[in-house]
Amino acid sequence: MSREAAVAQGPGPGRSTGVHGESRACRPNRPHTAAGHGLVRGSALSEFRELVTELGGAPDELLHSAGIEPVAAGRYEEYLPFRRVMEVLEAAAESTGTPDLGRRLGRRQSADILGPVVPAARTARTLAEAVEVFSRYLGTYSTACSLRLVPRPGEGLAFVEFRSTLGRRWIHPQGAEAILARALTVLQLLAGSSFRPVDIHVPHRPLTPQADYESDYSTTVLFNQPRPGFTISAADLGHPLEHDPVAHRVLVEHLADTTPRNSACLVRPVTELAEQMLPKGVPTVEDIAVRLGLHPRALQRRLSAEGLSVTDLVDVVRRDTAERLLAETDMALGRIARRLGYAEQSALSRACRRWFGMTPSAVRRTERQSGTSETAAAHA
């Protein structure tokens, strides 16, 4: 599996965070996420290689460039860094000149890519209960993307809202559109092919003419919205499904047992320690293992089980911290470099080019401009 990771969900009041036993925050039904990171099944890239090949692109080169092994693309058994999956979709759209690549991919993919959460939803009593199953157990598919049902009772409506751990906003349009297209496929599988949401919220400007969106989604499409999702009528949420109480109970119990919790719980303290120790120098496996009360080999083994390493997690922390400090503060670049454990500002510049494809100053300028545009769109 590839190398970027999620931090386990932070502890709330009264939760244990001991490292020798598993944290009580690490329990089923709670996706484990990082500030800006997470994992997704390799099946998220089902049909990716075939689609890009049809479009005249080189899918394996794109996957390698994103740090993803081509053999993992399409495999449910593999976990991939969510951010890298989002980035490879953007790269594929650009390299093939296909601005609707995300929607095309989402429409091609079977609901089966989500794993056992789909049959568990199909055996629920109503569409509303099926959405609740996805809300609780989507973590079996991805620890980086979640959804929730937001009722609007006075209007007889509800909003199915998708959230990402990649920050306050969806920064990857192709990924957002792929998720929306895939989710619409699943809803139509559950409620029937004639099902249409009241509208669809897209978190960015149109990438193709609006008529293309309304043809693809067969409903009204609203752009530059705070969160991607669907508006569904209360009547549709009450739509009865082919309820099978025995199968539903068995499937839900299986999901509760397989929702990721153990390894992800170790990732959170590792990344928190890395963030604390970076200003004094780059922490080693031994440094972090000592702080956690683990043997270095035990730490490596447990992270390796999820395809992770301390080196990768330190890089994740550096990138996320750099992005946050550049976007939200006026801290001098030299000071940011020291905060990340770099001896020289030039090392920060090289890292930003590797992470973001631009200099630290350009990252800061881009983030500020994007934030201003978001604020204006929200007011509008």
Side-chain angles (χ1 to χ4, degrees):
M1 187 192 73
S2 206
R3 306 291 184 229
E4 199 170 351
V7 180
Q9 179 174 310
R15 290 181 183 166
S16 168
T17 56
V19 295
H20 294 292
E22 295 299 336
S23 165
R24 275 180 267 164
C26 299
R27 56 185 64 178
N29 315 337
R30 297 175 184 245
H32 304 289
T33 59
H37 303 282
L39 302 173
V40 66
R41 297 279 187 174
S43 55
L45 291 176
S46 174
E47 296 290 328
F48 173 82
R49 297 168 79 186
E50 293 81 357
L51 174 60
V52 173
T53 299
E54 291 172 13
L55 295 171
D60 288 1
E61 291 182 14
L62 290 167
L63 290 165
H64 278 303
S65 295
I68 298 172
E69 292 295 330
V71 70
R75 295 185 59 185
Y76 183 83
E77 298 78 13
E78 298 281 350
Y79 277 106
L80 302 174
F82 184 71
R83 184 190 290 271
R84 293 184 185 178
V85 170
M86 296 294 99
E87 289 173 347
V88 80
L89 296 183
E90 298 297 327
E94 182 177 356
S95 67
T96 62
T98 310
D100 63 338
L101 182 137
R103 300 202 302 278
R104 293 193 191 197
L105 181 64
R107 292 198 305 271
R108 287 175 66 125
Q109 292 175 329
S110 163
D112 294 339
I113 71 168
L114 301 178
V117 69
V118 173
R122 292 186 72 173
T123 53
R125 288 180 296 181
T126 64
L127 184 60
E129 288 191 8
V131 172
E132 176 63 19
V133 169
F134 282 109
S135 177
R136 294 180 63 194
Y137 298 111
L138 194 60
T140 58
Y141 168 72
S142 174
T143 65
C145 185
S146 62
L147 67 86
R148 64 172 182 159
L149 187 65
V150 183
R152 288 157 55 180
E155 306 169 71
L157 302 171
F159 186 65
V160 178
E161 175 186 288
F162 291 88
R163 289 177 173 265
S164 161
T165 62
L166 295 185
R168 298 179 300 279
R169 55 192 173 83
W170 284 77
I171 59 177
H172 299 99
Q174 299 298 333
E177 294 192 1
I179 289 170
L180 287 170
R182 186 184 308 139
L184 182 57
T185 297
V186 173
L187 288 173
Q188 290 176 333
L189 172 69
L190 298 174
S193 58
S194 62
F195 168 81
R196 297 290 183 273
V198 175
D199 58 40
I200 290 182
H201 290 211
V202 174
H204 49 263
R205 62 177 178 78
L207 305 181
T208 63
Q210 183 167 350
D212 293 345
Y213 282 87
E214 297 186 347
S215 174
D216 289 339
Y217 293 137
S218 300
T219 191
T220 301
V221 181
L222 306 176
F223 298 96
N224 294 316
Q225 300 300 303
R227 300 281 185 187
F230 304 89
T231 303
I232 302 179
S233 71
D236 281 335
L237 285 171
H239 178 82
L241 306 183
E242 297 179 5
H243 181 48
D244 184 332
V246 176
H248 184 69
R249 184 180 68 253
V250 171
L251 288 164
V252 167
E253 288 175 354
H254 170 72
L255 289 170
D257 289 339
T258 57
T259 300
R261 54 187 185 272
N262 292 335
S263 294
C265 285
L266 187 59
V267 176
R268 176 180 175 273
V270 169
T271 51
E272 286 189 344
L273 283 172
E275 187 172 10
Q276 294 170 15
M277 299 167 75
L278 272 172
K280 300 178 182 179
V282 182
T284 65
V285 174
E286 291 75 16
D287 294 334
I288 291 178
V290 167
R291 297 285 292 274
L292 293 176
L294 295 172
H295 191 282
R297 289 184 182 177
L299 174 60
Q300 290 175 311
R301 182 172 61 253
R302 291 179 61 182
L303 291 176
S304 180
E306 293 294 335
L308 311 173
S309 73
V310 168
T311 300
D312 298 325
L313 294 178
V314 169
D315 193 61
V316 166
V317 171
R318 276 176 154 170
R319 172 175 174 157
D320 194 58
T321 304
E323 188 174 23
R324 175 174 56 81
L325 293 177
L326 289 169
E328 301 177 2
T329 76
D330 294 318
M331 189 180 294
L333 297 183
R335 186 178 172 190
I336 293 177
R338 291 191 296 274
R339 176 81 170 265
L340 300 180
Y342 293 123
E344 299 177 351
Q345 184 176 318
S346 59
L348 172 64
S349 297
R350 290 192 296 271
C352 282
R353 288 186 181 279
R354 174 168 59 86
W355 293 326
F356 312 114
M358 61 183 80
T359 65
S361 297
V363 173
R364 173 167 277 166
R365 183 167 58 252
T366 301
E367 289 288 333
R368 298 288 172 82
Q369 290 172 349
S370 178
T372 301
S373 300
E374 275 191 10
T375 301
H379 285 298

